[in-house]
Amino acid sequence: MSLDQILAFCAFAAISSVTPGPNNMMLLASGLNHGFVRSLPHLAGISIGFVILVFATGLGMHALFVQVPAMQTVLKYVGAAYLLWLAWKLARSVPTVPGEASATKPMSFFGAAAFQWVNPKAWVMAISAVTTYLPHAFGVPDVLLLALVFGAVGAPCIAAWASCGVAMRRVLQNPRSVRIFNGVCAALLVASLYPILFD
């Protein structure tokens, strides 16, 4: 990849990573409900899981989807079902009083990393990156570079969502406000499915 291609890809990676989607909505809620430090495994799981997804896509998952289109459809609906379950859990989560231990736990590193494989937005981002930014005669080093750059650019972008959630803790001081916020985040998670399922 040339320097111009890498710079253009960095812009794509930043914009696609910072826009609202399932990962960012969950990190926003996690920042509010659990704080930034307790959300770090969730954040790291997203970043590393997504790097692995992009790398695997570049090595052949995209070609597999072209050969077996039903596989992509199945993954899309499995991801949608899992996302609905996460939204339901978020909407029903019990708000905590600042300073008290939370009754719920933030998403684990492995849970967040595994979620990337059923996250519809992650697949769209990975396939777009591989098909648009890899050179025609690419090799494994190009795929690895693409995946690592995506991870390096994307991590601070998604961390901003967790930070926004932490900042909201100062505003949302009572359990009712937090419950409303969690309900709105759950609704946004469900809404994020619309363009993917009905495109």
Side-chain angles (χ1 to χ4, degrees), residues 38-123:
R38 291 190 67 206
S39 299
L40 282 175
H42 184 173
L43 201 156
I46 290 170
S47 297
I48 293 171
F50 185 67
V51 165
I52 294 168
L53 175 66
V54 172
F55 186 68
T57 302
L59 291 183
M61 287 295 291
H62 179 255
L64 183 62
F65 285 161
V66 171
Q67 294 294 319
V68 189
M71 186 177 173
Q72 189 172 6
T73 304
V74 168
L75 271 175
K76 181 165 68 170
Y77 286 107
V78 167
Y82 184 62
L83 212 53
L84 290 172
W85 179 76
L86 287 172
W88 179 78
K89 270 186 71 172
L90 179 58
R92 291 179 43 92
S93 63
V94 179
T96 57
V97 178
E100 287 186 3
S102 173
T104 59
K105 293 180 180 178
M107 186 176 269
S108 70
F109 172 87
F110 291 109
F115 174 65
Q116 302 320 298
W117 291 86
V118 294
N119 179 354
K121 184 188 175 192
W123 277 107

Side-chain angles (χ1 to χ4, degrees), residues 94-157:
V94 179
T96 57
V97 178
E100 287 186 3
S102 173
T104 59
K105 293 180 180 178
M107 186 176 269
S108 70
F109 172 87
F110 291 109
F115 174 65
Q116 302 320 298
W117 291 86
V118 294
N119 179 354
K121 184 188 175 192
W123 277 107
V124 169
M125 289 166 57
I127 291 171
S128 297
V130 165
T131 56
T132 305
Y133 292 98
L134 279 178
H136 289 296
F138 68 86
V140 173
D142 294 308
V143 177
L144 183 60
L145 177 64
L146 187 86
L148 292 175
V149 169
F150 215 145
V153 171
C157 295

